[in-house]
Amino acid sequence: MKEVLNKFYNQSSNYFSGFKNFELQDIFNGWSKKEVVWLFACILLTGLVSILTNSKAIVFIYSIIGIVNLILVAKGKLINYIFGIISCFLYAIIALQKGVYGQFLLFLLFFTPMQFYGWYIWSNPENMLNKSTVKAKRLTLQQFAKIIAVIVVFASIYGFFILHLIFDQQVGLVMDAIVGVVSIIAFLLMTKSYAEQWALWIIIDILTIIIWVDGLVYQHITIAIIPVIITRILTLINAFYGYISWIKMHKNT
């Protein structure tokens, strides 16, 4: 364990040492003008929606940090994990407050600590295309089919025995169970730098949007959650962009 922590520290130190000669343009190194516009458009839209719906500060902060995190992931940027740690923890709190316990457990017990694991894996020089961008890999069709089979089995177990029997969840039970399992697998594929993670993120984003909209329509949750829904819609669009971006990254490796 000590060896792993020391390696993580050394890899992270090497990465952040590059910021000694930091210049503003370094933030957007390797970005097209359209990608920069997309980043700022997402920030402005999520911020504006949060203000118009009088959302709580935690929702406003999560919305901004969350979308920046996911756009950085789509670009394969290592620094995404800093934003990821914060956004995952905030989302867990929001889910707990709204009674979506599957999302709460997923983000508190898995996604938040796994950000450090992803950071550790990506920061290994062998996995980096350059100092700030990870190398992209691809799964075979057979490997992806096996993953889908695993999702079906474990989502059924998780939904019935944990969300239904233990928490008696009322908001989006089936979809929350699927999202929980798919999210874990998608994140593991992300840490291993597989482009197919984005196919799973597309499924996750669609189902998560349905979960929150369902709660809104049936008045389980209030209009103040709309910024979260908008953020998830933007992440869905970003997931399509991420898939295309990572396929291009793989071709360039």
Side-chain angles (χ1 to χ4, degrees), residues 137-139 189-190 192-198 246:
K137 296 181 287 188
R138 299 294 306 272
L139 290 172
L189 291 179
M190 172 184 156
K192 297 300 182 180
S193 308
Y194 285 106
E196 283 71 23
Q197 59 161 307
W198 293 105
W246 277 56

Side-chain angles (χ1 to χ4, degrees), residues 53 55-56 59 91 93-101 103 169-172 176 207-230 232:
T53 54
S55 298
K56 293 181 179 179
V59 174
Y91 187 82
I93 296 174
I94 293 170
L96 178 63
Q97 292 175 341
K98 304 303 178 182
V100 187
Y101 301 113
Q103 297 280 292
Q169 180 168 322
Q170 301 298 318
V171 180
D176 200 17
L207 294 180
T208 303
I209 291 168
I210 294 173
I211 290 170
W212 288 117
V213 171
D214 178 69
L216 189 63
V217 170
Y218 290 98
Q219 299 180 344
H220 295 298
I221 50 181
T222 66
I223 193 174
I225 206 64
I226 286 179
V228 173
I229 297 174
I230 296 298
R232 300 308 301 193

Side-chain angles (χ1 to χ4, degrees), residues 182-203:
V182 176
S183 295
I184 291 173
I185 295 176
F187 190 82
L188 291 175
L189 291 179
M190 172 184 156
T191 61
K192 297 300 182 180
S193 308
Y194 285 106
E196 283 71 23
Q197 59 161 307
W198 293 105
L200 299 184
W201 289 124
I202 290 169
I203 296 172

Side-chain angles (χ1 to χ4, degrees), residues 75-77 121-122 124-130 132-138 189-195 197 246 249-253:
K75 286 296 295 178
K77 298 296 183 180
I121 296 296
W122 277 31
N124 189 326
E126 296 179 357
N127 297 326
M128 300 297 289
L129 185 63
N130 53 49
S132 64
T133 307
V134 73
K135 294 178 183 177
K137 296 181 287 188
R138 299 294 306 272
L189 291 179
M190 172 184 156
T191 61
K192 297 300 182 180
S193 308
Y194 285 106
Q197 59 161 307
W246 277 56
M249 285 166 54
H250 177 260
K251 292 180 179 178
N252 293 330
T253 56

Side-chain angles (χ1 to χ4, degrees), residues 60-71 83 86-88 231 235:
F60 175 79
I61 296 171
Y62 158 74
S63 299
I64 298 297
I65 294 178
I67 194 62
V68 171
N69 165 230
L70 293 172
I71 292 175
F83 293 88
I86 300 171
S87 66
C88 287
T231 299
T235 61

